[in-house]
Amino acid sequence: MSATAAEHADTRAHAEDAALATILEVLRERTGTDFSRYRRATVRRRVLNRMICLGANTFEHYLDMLLAEEGEALSLLQRITIKVSRFYRNSATFDLLRRDILPELARTNGRRPLRIWCAGCGYGEEAYTLAMLLEEAGIPGTVDASDIDPGALSAGRRGWYPPSAFDELPAALHTTFCEPSERGYRVCERVRARVSFWRHDVISDAPPPGEERFDLVSCRNVLIYLDAEVQHQVLRSIDAALAAGGVLCLGEAEWPSAALGQTLRTMNHKARLFRALPMHSRAAAPPPFAGSA
Ligand SMILES: C[S@@+](CC[C@H](N)C(=O)[O-])C[C@H]1O[C@@H](n2cnc3c(N)ncnc32)[C@H](O)[C@@H]1O
């Protein structure tokens, strides 16, 4: 490449970076979510993907479109946060929760209802799976399901899913807890009643409020979006929201940073299940009231 061509490419890359930074700033102002701390390559790829759909040739061109169309910010947020999920996704993990972990948490909890938090719940498949397991075992408890995408939360509250969403769900759970509807299936009322959907950003909001800490937090396939430093920050906040003896469930693609080894013990490496140790600070600190969810 000649010196002039290299300079030109450099200038172009700078202009792209600046436009992308402004796009993320507009997104933050309009949706409340700050994507500047997400993995840059992932965000860039997904913005490009949205640009292709709209026929925008450059980041600057797309920025003009974003500024001109109020609803575009939400469409971009939805494009960046792809919500691939299924009921009982990665079945081995749910088998463990169903057979061992939820019954054990219920036993040690006595009569207190279990508190479960499903962070980054997408359309709600994972949260409803957890609620089905509680319902099946007759365990009292509720699930706080949270996500940054308001459209996903509304879909979750409705509880309708296409048949393919249930491919991994054991037949007994499907038959008992899903009702056929013209759009596929709907999760039955008693399972839906256990789940509350919240708009919540794991990076900037404190955990959902409540008088007790969480017995189980599931945060699967969310941290992969974030850069390493933010992953660590999010894990610290989730860890602080866990009751002593509570369980953290991460997706198979994720692993907590070494610093959390002092407060979490690995229960199952493959399923990424961790037990919250009864740390002095955890026992002494007040539960995470916040009011931001
Ligand atoms: C791939 S889906 C995972 C859904 C489900 N947890 C699972 O594993 O099947 C990732 C979800 O994380 C959500 N998400 C991304 N960033 C988030 C943040 N900062 N706070 C809360 N949720 C977030 C996305 O909107 C998306 O719904």
Side-chain angles (χ1 to χ4, degrees), residues 38 81-86 89 119-122 126 146-149 200-203 220-222 225:
Y38 284 55
T81 57
I82 289 175
K83 279 163 276 293
V84 178
S85 190
R86 289 179 302 282
R89 180 183 190 185
C121 65
E126 183 186 344
S146 66
D147 203 280
I148 43 168
D149 180 351
H200 177 275
D201 186 330
V202 288
I203 300 175
R220 309 197 318 158
N221 305 300
V222 180
Y225 287 104

Side-chain angles (χ1 to χ4, degrees), residues 18-32:
L20 184 56
T22 313
I23 287 168
L24 299 190
E25 187 55 32
V26 174
L27 208 50
R28 191 182 60 74
E29 278 164 19
R30 294 196 177 166
T31 68

